[in-house]
Amino acid sequence: MAPDTRGTSPDNRPRVRILVVGGGYVGMYTALRLQRKLRQRLKSGEAEIVVVTPEPYMTYQPFLPEAAAGSISPRHVVVPLRRVLKHCTIVIGEAERVDHAKRTATVTTLATGEDSTGAVEIPYDELVLAPGSVSRTLPVPGLADFGIGFKTVEEAIGLRNHVIEQMDIASATRDPAIRDAALTFVFVGGGYAGVEALAELEDMARYTSRYYHNIKPADLRWILVEATGRILPEVGEAMGKYAVRELRGRNIDVRLDTRLDSCEGRVAVLSDGSRFPTRTLVWTAGVKPAPILAATDLPLTERGRIRCTTTLAVDGAPHAWAAGDAAAVPDLTSSEPGTETAPNAQHAVRQAKVLADNVLATLAGRPAEDYRHSYAGSVASLGLHKGVAHVYGRKLKGYPAWLMHRVYHLSRVPTFNRKARVLAEWTLAGLFKREIVSLGSLEHPRAEFALAARGHAHPGPPEDTPPKDERRPDTTG
Ligand SMILES: Cc1cc2nc3c(=O)[nH]c(=O)nc-3n(C[C@H](O)[C@H](O)[C@H](O)COP(=O)(O)OP(=O)(O)OC[C@H]3O[C@@H](n4cnc5c(N)ncnc54)[C@H](O)[C@@H]3O)c2cc1C
């Protein structure tokens, strides 16, 4: 935990503590820029940057679909914060509450509950709120029990393992109903997270099926459910239509203007009346601001984002700043009044730079600058060697778009170390065959030992043994 040294430095000069909540795009890039520009003051103890983050790493989310497909190792889609932010104080924990009137955040850390340490209070002078977003769910029956999200590296790798495990189940069972449900994969939400995840996993599963004696690519059923009439709005209408054609050409069942009504009992019921027994339901139908925002005394919009001015200052709250998915920032490039910048990485990275500069300007008594960025377009991968792109008015599809997707993200993934590792992995993947192994049991490392120990020691299940159907493929339906 960061000791409370606010107020003085070793030689008793006034000290400034900047508290950054969140270690994602905005949190990491803001802290990185502040660290660079405040180097001397950090060294002399005049300033301190504290970053509160639940994970010790920043996740480069655009690489999650490739991590799920096995093209990039999970540890290379994350950036270790302690290494990058050497001069910041990293607190692994979650901000539970922010009382900006008192300039204090209440934080639970990994030690909370383990020992006598309760939640800790971190006082600050400047606050940067960057907790991002969480999956936006709807009250669909069964969703909370069976749905899988796709926002974290754990979810991406868990999903990869799960898909391969379903193929193992389908290969082993003699029951056609179990086999069909295991080989049916339903994705809800046609934004880049859903489309890229589905496209990459379908590609990977089709390739993997060649190593099964009794599964053919045609046995796999992939369904994309989208409530509106288009997918990938980020790449524009024409490229969105191309993506639908490309996916349908691969036998992926794309259902537009369709909603998921229920997934109770592991049966996906769609608004067009169709029903699909399935063991895989991935929910990527949008995001909503992180829950911590509701536990602050800062102003929120109707949609729960934090209300910001054009300088990324929180509206009416001096010394509080916000950006990224959590912040409602006026889009100065839009002709429609009231438009907010979209929740995407492109804005998050650029806002972080302006935000850091504005914090520094305020500390130096200079005026803050407006944030202004017109959306440059997007690139999306649709599996190995396939993609769509619409960047600076140029439309690309197929291999050139996929190549652009890789070049763009390689240039964007933070740190030279990660760029080199990702490039090495892509190069090796081109030389060797694809990885097709599922390491689902990694998620429960104690299960095997607990079973063995249980036989000898005592009859009750050990405390953290997972339920039976999480340990072994469930072939009972
Ligand atoms: C699968 C996927 C693919 C994507 N692909 C693209 C793409 O191709 N192009 C693009 O532009 N955008 C893409 N995005 C969106 C992009 O990743 C987000 O817009 C971006 O990450 C937002 O940055 P952020 O800093 O606001 O939030 P994040 O990067 O999500 O960071 C928020 C951080 O805050 C932490 N946090 C949350 N609550 C608390 C708390 N109470 N206390 C402390 N910390 C907290 C979180 O754990 C997280 O580390 C993709 C997103 C996903 C999920």
Side-chain angles (χ1 to χ4, degrees):
M1 222 321 285
D4 180 15
T5 48
R6 189 172 67 137
T8 55
S9 65
D11 53 2
N12 275 342
R13 273 174 296 165
R15 182 177 174 127
V16 172
R17 178 180 285 167
I18 303 169
L19 176 67
V20 180
V21 175
Y25 268 87
V26 172
M28 188 196 78
Y29 278 109
T30 304
L32 197 59
R33 195 167 176 87
L34 288 171
Q35 171 181 272
R36 199 175 305 138
K37 301 226 163 175
L38 287 172
R39 205 178 185 95
Q40 287 314 322
R41 292 177 71 184
L42 290 171
K43 277 189 182 161
S44 69
E46 262 184 89
E48 185 187 17
I49 303 166
V50 178
V51 181
V52 176
T53 168
E55 310 89 18
Y57 49 78
M58 176 261 191
T59 305
Y60 190 77
Q61 289 174 339
F63 274 158
L64 290 182
E66 288 209 47
S71 306
I72 306 178
S73 316
R75 35 178 212 291
H76 298 157
V77 301
V78 299
V79 179
L81 292 174
R82 289 189 197 280
R83 184 182 295 167
V84 177
L85 302 174
K86 283 195 200 85
H87 303 290
C88 299
T89 305
I90 309 288
V91 177
I92 304 301
E94 255 181 74
E96 297 285 326
R97 232 178 15 256
V98 173
D99 188 342
H100 189 63
K102 291 192 185 148
R103 304 280 195 276
T104 311
T106 308
V107 174
T108 49
T109 69
L110 288 181
T112 307
E114 289 283 320
D115 58 13
S116 55
T117 316
V120 289
E121 304 241 305
I122 304 186
Y124 59 81
D125 303 287
E126 298 288 328
L127 172 72
V128 177
L129 260 183
S133 53
V134 294
S135 297
R136 177 169 50 89
T137 54
L138 296 172
V140 174
L143 184 61
D145 300 320
F146 301 116
I148 308 171
F150 199 79
K151 264 196 76 64
T152 65
V153 68
E154 294 81 2
E155 285 171 335
I157 302 309
L159 188 57
R160 168 189 171 75
N161 291 332
H162 172 86
V163 167
I164 299 176
E165 204 169 277
Q166 297 315 301
M167 295 175 75
D168 289 334
I169 291 171
S171 174
T173 184
R174 291 193 190 146
D175 184 330
I178 293 173
R179 180 180 158 95
D180 285 351
L183 294 182
T184 300
F185 305 95
V186 179
F187 284 62
V188 184
Y192 38 37
V195 172
E196 287 191 316
L198 179 148
E200 289 282 355
L201 282 163
E202 187 273 340
D203 215 41
M204 182 274 292
R206 190 158 23 84
Y207 174 86
T208 304
S209 69
R210 66 172 77 170
Y211 296 98
Y212 287 79
H213 68 285
N214 56 356
I215 299 180
K216 294 189 293 300
D219 298 336
L220 300 159
R221 180 162 210 185
W222 296 83
I223 301 155
L224 177 63
V225 182
E226 165 55 42
T228 69
R230 60 193 282 198
I231 63 169
L232 289 176
E234 300 85 359
V235 294
E237 200 173 340
M239 289 298 94
K241 281 186 180 158
Y242 165 81
V244 171
R245 282 201 304 278
E246 149 71 31
L247 295 177
R248 284 183 176 155
R250 281 155 62 179
N251 229 3
I252 296 169
D253 184 351
V254 182
R255 298 195 177 215
L256 303 177
D257 297 310
T258 309
R259 281 172 287 100
L260 175 76
D261 281 348
S262 161
C263 54
E264 261 179 328
R266 291 188 168 171
V267 178
V269 181
L270 307 187
S271 57
D272 60 8
S274 44
R275 300 164 60 86
F276 300 99
T278 177
R279 300 167 63 96
T280 312
L281 191 121
V282 184
W283 180 269
T284 56
V287 293
K288 64 178 183 192
I292 164 70
L293 300 183
T296 70
D297 52 353
L298 298 167
L300 304 184
T301 62
E302 264 173 25
R303 295 179 157 219
R305 285 174 118 188
I306 207 139
R307 205 166 57 236
C308 288
T309 67
T310 49
T311 61
L312 306 170
V314 178
D315 201 8
H319 307 288
W321 309 84
D325 286 9
V329 178
D331 187 347
L332 292 179
T333 64
S334 169
S335 50
E336 272 182 50
T339 309
E340 297 167 9
T341 56
N344 58 49
Q346 206 174 113
H347 283 300
V349 174
R350 288 168 174 83
Q351 286 175 353
K353 177 174 175 289
V354 175
L355 193 161
D357 288 348
N358 282 348
V359 171
L360 295 169
T362 307
L363 290 176
R366 286 184 276 110
E369 279 183 16
D370 284 340
Y371 172 76
R372 180 188 297 270
H373 168 68
S374 30
Y375 195 58
S378 257
V379 289
S381 158
L382 298 177
L384 206 56
H385 303 161
K386 301 171 269 286
V388 276
H390 189 173
V391 182
Y392 293 117
R394 269 191 75 120
K395 294 175 193 147
L396 290 176
K397 54 192 181 190
Y399 187 83
W402 172 81
L403 198 62
M404 179 180 232
H405 171 265
R406 284 209 156 174
V407 171
Y408 173 78
H409 284 301
L410 193 65
S411 72
R412 292 283 149 180
V413 68
T415 79
F416 177 74
N417 177 312
R418 285 303 178 262
K419 290 186 208 302
R421 285 173 190 269
V422 169
L423 186 61
E425 279 196 291
W426 282 342
T427 311
L428 287 174
L431 297 175
F432 299 105
K433 289 183 178 159
R434 231 170 152 146
E435 290 295 350
I436 58 159
V437 73
S438 152
L439 290 176
S441 51
L442 279 183
E443 290 156 37
H444 305 294
R446 284 200 63 242
E448 210 60 57
F449 180 77
L451 274 180
R454 193 173 152 203
H456 290 288
H458 53 81
E463 259 173 36
D464 55 352
T465 305
K468 189 164 174 283
D469 70 337
E470 286 177 29
R471 275 182 267 140
R472 291 269 181 265
D474 176 5
T475 49
T476 60

